[in-house]
Each structure stands twice: as structure tokens, then as C-alpha cells.
Amino acid sequence: NIKSSYMKFIPTFILVLLFFSLNISAAEIKAYPVKKIANNTYVIHGPLEYPNKKNKGFMNNPGFVVTRTGVVVIDPGSSVQVGRMVLKQIKTITNKPVTHVLNTHIHGDHWLGNQAFAEAFPNVVIMAHPEMIRSEERRGGKECRSRWSPYH
């Protein structure tokens, strides 16, 4: 069954990303450029490769939208270091606070950067699909229960 094989891969993938996150804790990630893709809408294209020492685990494409009241971040990255880089890049565009972080799916390279935004903005609303939250809770993700809000 392809789905069960895929589901078995997810915990391993998350552990690999956590390993990279722990091994780069003291190192900053280089700043990747921000690209404007529409009015008030931006993306930071990550490298097109698997996590490695050179890219420090960065392999997704975080995005953000600047609204009237703040910034909504989409998929903040694969580690706290990547999240901090994304945050620095947002500050080159606006000084508005990050009000929401939206995690599109369960792969760690899309949400392990949440911590950087929670540190910088204690009242940030971190959102994820209810099934993603339940799945992470089953794996012991206590942060999901206390910090994340479901979207429908």
C-alpha cells in the first residue's frame, strides 16, 4: 500500500530535519532573496536540493502576505534558523508584526520554523489543518496542542 509506505516515511523525514536543526543550532543560514510575486505577496525560494550541511536543512519556499494589520507567513521553513532568516527577510519589506503562520501540511520542512515566529511574536496564531494537528499530537507534538489553531 503506497499510502502506508508514505506514512512510514514521514516520521523518518521529520527526524532527519530535526537532526539538521540540532546540528545547525549555532549557525545562521544565509539570507535568501525575497521575490515579490503579487501586490503585498512575497516568496523566498529555497534551494532545490535535499537537506544538507551547505543549505542547513532549508529546502522549501516560505511565503508571506503583508496585510493592513500585519504579516501572514505561509510555511516558515525547516528549522528555527530558517524561520529566523525568513523573519529577517520579512523585516526588509515591512516592520509590521507577524500575526499568523499557516502550515500547509505535515512535512517538517514546512513548519519546523514555527518556533522562530513564536519567539519573536508571542501572540502569533499558528494555524494548521485539524488532521495535521491530530497527527502531530499522536507523535507527541505537545506544541501542536498548546500553540496551533485549526483552520477549515
Side-chain angles (χ1 to χ4, degrees):
N1 181 336
I2 292 174
K3 186 175 180 179
S4 74
S5 296
Y6 179 73
M7 295 305 287
K8 289 178 185 174
F9 171 74
I10 289 173
T12 303
F13 184 72
I14 289 172
L15 285 173
V16 167
L17 288 173
L18 287 172
F19 172 78
F20 275 101
S21 180
L22 293 173
N23 282 312
I24 62 173
S25 61
E28 280 196 29
I29 186 167
K30 78 172 191 162
Y32 284 78
V34 176
K35 180 178 181 182
K36 185 174 186 174
I37 57 173
N39 285 340
N40 301 312
T41 307
Y42 303 86
V43 66
I44 301 170
H45 290 288
L48 299 174
E49 54 198 25
Y50 288 107
N52 61 55
K53 194 172 185 174
K54 183 180 173 192
N55 67 29
K56 297 185 174 38
F58 183 37
M59 58 179 276
N60 77 320
N61 300 306
F64 62 97
V65 179
V66 180
T67 71
R68 200 170 25 90
T69 59
V71 179
V72 176
V73 177
I74 303 139
D75 291 340
S78 56
S79 68
V80 67
Q81 293 80 13
V82 172
R84 288 175 183 147
M85 181 274 295
V86 171
L87 188 54
K88 285 180 186 177
Q89 293 303 81
I90 290 170
K91 289 178 181 179
T92 68
I93 303 297
T94 182
N95 61 1
K96 291 181 179 181
V98 174
T99 58
H100 294 77
V101 173
L102 176 64
N103 300 301
T104 61
H105 64 282
I106 197 152
H107 295 153
D109 62 311
H110 292 264
W111 63 266
L112 288 171
N114 287 349
Q115 180 183 344
F117 293 88
E119 289 172 355
F121 301 98
N123 294 321
V124 68
V125 176
I126 299 174
M127 300 171 62
H129 188 277
E131 187 53 39
M132 180 181 166
I133 296 169
R134 282 190 290 275
S135 179
E136 280 308 302
E137 285 176 344
R138 286 191 295 271
R139 289 182 176 78
K142 295 176 186 172
E143 175 191 332
C144 302
R145 197 175 309 113
S146 64
R147 291 280 322 181
W148 294 13
S149 299
Y151 67 81
H152 301 277

